[in-house]
Amino acid sequence: MRTPAIVSTVLAVAALLTPVAEADRPVWFTSWAQSQQHLAPVTLHDQSMRMITHLSQGGSAVRIRVQNTFGEQPLTIDRTTVAVSAGGAAVDATRDVTFAGRRSVTIPAGGEMWSDRTTLATTPGADLAVSMHVAGDVVPGRHESAFRDNYLTPPGTGDRTTDKGAAFTEKVQSTYVVSAVDVVNPKLRGTVVPFGSSVVDGVGSTNCGPGCTEIGTNKRWADVLARKVVASGGPQLAVANAGISGTTSAVCPRTPAPFVGLDARTRLERDVLALHGVTDVIYYYGTNDLANGCTADEIVASYRAVFERLRKAGIAVHVTPITPRPGYSDQNNVDRHAVNDFVKRGGDCSDTCASVQDFDQVLEDPIRPNAVNPRYDTGDGVHANITGQQAIADYIALETLV
């Protein structure tokens, strides 16, 4: 017969060996992101912002990331609320968000903060409205191209973060201050981060044909990929976009001033590794590198450095070859094919990546291989329209990401 002490010991050991119930294992995954790139050309004064974030996956709670990365002064947010969007600027009910237990938060110049956990049930594809009030004068950081409407109240109207929507009378097509949203969802296997320049950012995803534009319909290939994951019924992953238009992988000699300091190596820690639950990165860079004077050797060197850092973090890297661009010189195309030979060699970037996602094969014109297929072209010869965005997402085999 076992004594009570022995029974207690056996039960304690069993508790250590038994996996924690899924419902008791809170895990944060970044479900939406838009990387900050510079300060907005506005000064906000005693007004509220309502930024609409599109979640790739839902969960039982949320937390948000606010940044003052490019600010030269501390940024004080006096109140923040979250709510599931009811369309446009409308919400039905808001919940307060705190930072280290406080409603107000001051972010130092160059800094950032993650909020506390806010219990709120969300579903895949939900739009989460993040409302922030600033009482003083604030120049917010922004992601320039939201490809949807976000909302402001007029200056001097005070805290309207709990307003149902009517107070938000001004529209902007950038995303201010908030740069990521996490969800609690233990059923998720990880977060996939598309990382790159304009085709990752979503340029072309509002182009539905000549004279046709769709704003706020979430048709970037990364958005389509997120819906594809949800619909698959297989292992579930979040998708968090880390694209910034105009950026490069390497530091290139002719990089325009607005994009200096936004190369992949410089922003890797902030825009990818600082997100949560990241298991995979889809690396889509190179077109701007060539246009800005980088050589194949410089691009490959930057790839190797970024891939090494990601692998050390335990993150699988999936790389796309550099896609066509009609403005390339003959030397640009020689360098493009040299980089692509490195990427495709062995199907694994010469032992530096987990897979090759051949978007070049998807987008190239079968008749003119240095040009984009006219069916997918927005008209600028560089970016994929909505049909092309769908084709990119359709190409990606989900099993390569799990």
Side-chain angles (χ1 to χ4, degrees):
M1 180 176 178
R2 294 178 177 175
T3 66
I6 293 174
V7 172
S8 296
T9 301
V10 170
L11 292 174
V13 171
L16 291 173
L17 297 178
T18 302
V20 178
E22 197 169 70
D24 297 328
R25 184 171 53 88
V27 180
W28 290 104
F29 293 92
T30 302
S31 182
W32 170 89
Q34 282 192 338
S35 304
Q36 294 274 288
Q37 60 192 106
H38 51 65
L39 292 176
V42 298
T43 299
L44 305 179
H45 171 70
D46 189 21
Q47 61 193 117
S48 298
M49 305 169 266
R50 180 159 288 172
M51 303 290 112
I52 309 300
T53 67
H54 184 68
L55 302 183
S56 58
Q57 292 280 2
S60 59
V62 299
R63 65 182 178 190
I64 67 169
R65 182 195 200 190
V66 290
Q67 288 184 269
N68 190 25
T69 302
F70 301 98
E72 298 177 354
Q73 303 293 331
L75 185 157
T76 297
I77 302 171
D78 296 276
R79 187 180 185 184
T80 302
T81 66
V82 292
V84 175
S85 170
V91 298
D92 292 324
T94 61
R95 299 193 182 191
D96 277 309
V97 173
T98 59
F99 296 83
R102 300 188 178 191
R103 193 169 80 173
S104 175
V105 60
T106 298
I107 311 165
E112 65 175 63
M113 290 284 289
W114 283 90
S115 75
D116 301 328
R117 171 184 178 137
T118 300
T119 300
L120 179 67
T122 55
T123 57
D127 284 342
L128 183 76
V130 180
S131 303
M132 296 164 282
H133 170 238
V134 291
D137 290 340
V138 165
V139 179
R142 70 167 175 171
H143 182 91
E144 186 169 329
S145 301
F147 298 111
R148 70 174 317 123
D149 288 329
N150 288 313
Y151 304 92
L152 304 175
T153 58
T157 52
D159 178 6
R160 307 304 296 269
T161 56
T162 62
D163 188 274
K164 297 293 186 182
F168 291 87
T169 56
E170 300 180 12
K171 295 180 180 179
V172 294
Q173 280 75 47
S174 296
T175 301
Y176 294 167
V177 183
V178 59
S179 63
V181 177
D182 283 1
V183 298
V184 170
N185 188 339
K187 294 182 180 180
L188 298 181
R189 292 281 295 274
T191 295
V192 180
V193 180
F195 184 38
S197 53
S198 56
V199 181
V200 175
D201 196 3
V203 174
S205 65
T206 61
N207 183 306
C208 44
C212 174
T213 301
E214 294 183 10
I215 297 292
T217 56
N218 305 302
K219 291 185 177 176
R220 303 169 186 83
W221 64 263
D223 298 323
V224 180
L225 174 63
R227 292 191 287 272
K228 180 177 175 179
V229 170
V230 172
S232 73
Q236 291 296 290
L237 300 161
V239 179
N241 195 311
I244 297 180
S245 296
T247 55
T248 57
S249 176
V251 177
C252 298
R254 297 198 300 271
T255 298
F259 307 108
V260 171
L262 293 174
D263 58 278
R265 291 179 67 178
T266 300
R267 68 187 191 94
L268 179 65
E269 299 287 334
R270 178 177 72 237
D271 293 345
V272 177
L273 295 175
L275 305 180
H276 296 102
V278 179
T279 53
D280 299 79
V281 164
I282 301 176
Y283 196 81
Y284 190 171
Y285 262 119
T287 58
N288 295 322
D289 293 69
L290 295 174
N292 292 330
C294 267
T295 65
D297 288 344
E298 290 169 324
I299 297 168
V300 169
S302 72
Y303 281 19
R304 287 187 181 278
V306 171
F307 300 169
E308 180 182 7
R309 177 68 185 93
L310 290 169
R311 289 200 312 277
K312 284 182 178 178
I315 296 170
V317 187
H318 311 273
V319 188
T320 180
I322 300 176
T323 48
R325 189 166 180 159
Y328 287 153
S329 66
D330 289 344
Q331 184 58 52
N332 286 155
N333 277 318
V334 169
D335 286 331
R336 180 168 84 91
H337 291 295
V339 174
N340 291 356
D341 285 344
F342 161 76
V343 168
K344 295 179 181 181
R345 194 174 303 143
D348 63 356
C349 314
S350 307
D351 297 320
T352 66
C353 65
S355 77
V356 175
Q357 301 294 332
D358 200 343
F359 298 172
D360 180 43
Q361 174 186 320
V362 176
L363 294 180
E364 73 175 11
D365 186 337
I367 299 173
R368 299 172 303 147
N370 288 330
V372 174
N373 189 324
R375 183 182 174 212
Y376 300 146
D377 191 353
T378 60
D380 64 7
V382 178
H383 300 103
N385 58 23
I386 288 175
T387 303
Q389 303 278 335
Q390 180 72 51
I392 291 172
D394 287 345
Y395 174 87
I396 300 171
L398 297 183
E399 56 267 24
T400 64
L401 303 178
V402 178

